[in-house]
Amino acid sequence: MKELAEVRTLRVNRYMIIDDEPCKIMSISTSKPGKHGESKARIEAIGVFDGQKRSVVHPVKHKVHVPIIDKRNAQVLSLMGSDTVQLMDLETYETFEMPIPDEYKGKLGPGNEIMYLQALGRKKITRV
C-alpha cells in the first residue's frame, strides 16, 4: 500500500518510493528558486530491501509515492536449513517463511522474538 505526499513534507529517516522500491531517506537538500523556476529538492535514499543507494531531484511541490511501512513482531517457529526461517506473527498468528539476512545467521533459534517490516507485499527481518 502507498499514498501520495508532497516532496516538501518528506523528512530524513522516513520512507519514499524510488523506482518501485521503498527507500529510507538519508538526506534532503533544497535549492533556492531560480529566475523562472521553483525550488528543487535533492533526496538521497537507501533501498530497504536491496540496500542500493538512490538519489532523485524533484520540485518541492511535486507529489511522490510514500509506502506504508508496517513494523510487526513475530516468533521463530523453526529453522528451515541455514538460510530460511519459519515465523508466526504475534498479532495475527499467521505463519510464513522468510529468508534470514546475513547479519542474523546463527543468531536465530526456535522461540526467539524478532521484529520485521512489511512494505509493498515484501517482508524483511530488522531486529532480533
Side-chain angles (χ1 to χ4, degrees):
M1 294 191 6
K2 52 190 174 183
E3 54 190 27
L4 284 174
E6 278 193 10
V7 171
R8 65 176 155 204
T9 63
L10 298 175
R11 300 286 174 252
V12 174
N13 289 331
R14 299 265 174 89
Y15 299 91
M16 73 177 286
I17 296 176
I18 302 173
D19 301 331
D20 290 328
E21 180 74 27
C23 298
K24 186 172 188 176
I25 297 171
M26 303 318 281
S27 70
I28 300 174
S29 56
T30 55
S31 62
K32 292 184 178 178
K35 187 175 179 183
H36 299 291
E38 57 182 304
S39 56
K40 292 186 172 42
R42 178 182 181 82
I43 302 168
E44 302 279 337
I46 293 182
V48 173
F49 295 107
D50 62 3
Q52 225 178 5
K53 241 183 160 179
R54 293 176 169 86
S55 64
V56 291
V57 177
H58 288 301
V60 292
K61 292 182 182 173
H62 185 76
K63 291 196 183 291
V64 293
H65 288 286
V66 177
I68 296 174
I69 302 279
D70 195 9
K71 294 181 181 172
R72 305 180 73 91
N73 293 316
Q75 183 177 16
V76 176
L77 294 178
S78 67
L79 296 172
M80 322 280 285
S82 62
D83 54 353
T84 307
V85 65
Q86 185 179 25
L87 301 169
M88 177 181 68
D89 190 290
L90 292 176
E91 278 182 42
T92 64
Y93 302 110
E94 163 197 12
T95 60
F96 53 91
E97 292 178 12
M98 203 188 263
I100 302 173
D102 291 335
E103 66 263 25
Y104 298 123
K105 286 190 177 174
K107 297 180 181 177
L108 294 175
N112 287 29
E113 281 193 20
I114 60 112
M115 199 169 158
Y116 72 97
L117 58 84
Q118 185 173 333
L120 299 179
R122 292 157 70 190
K123 299 173 183 169
K124 178 185 177 185
I125 296 175
T126 55
R127 190 177 301 149
V128 175

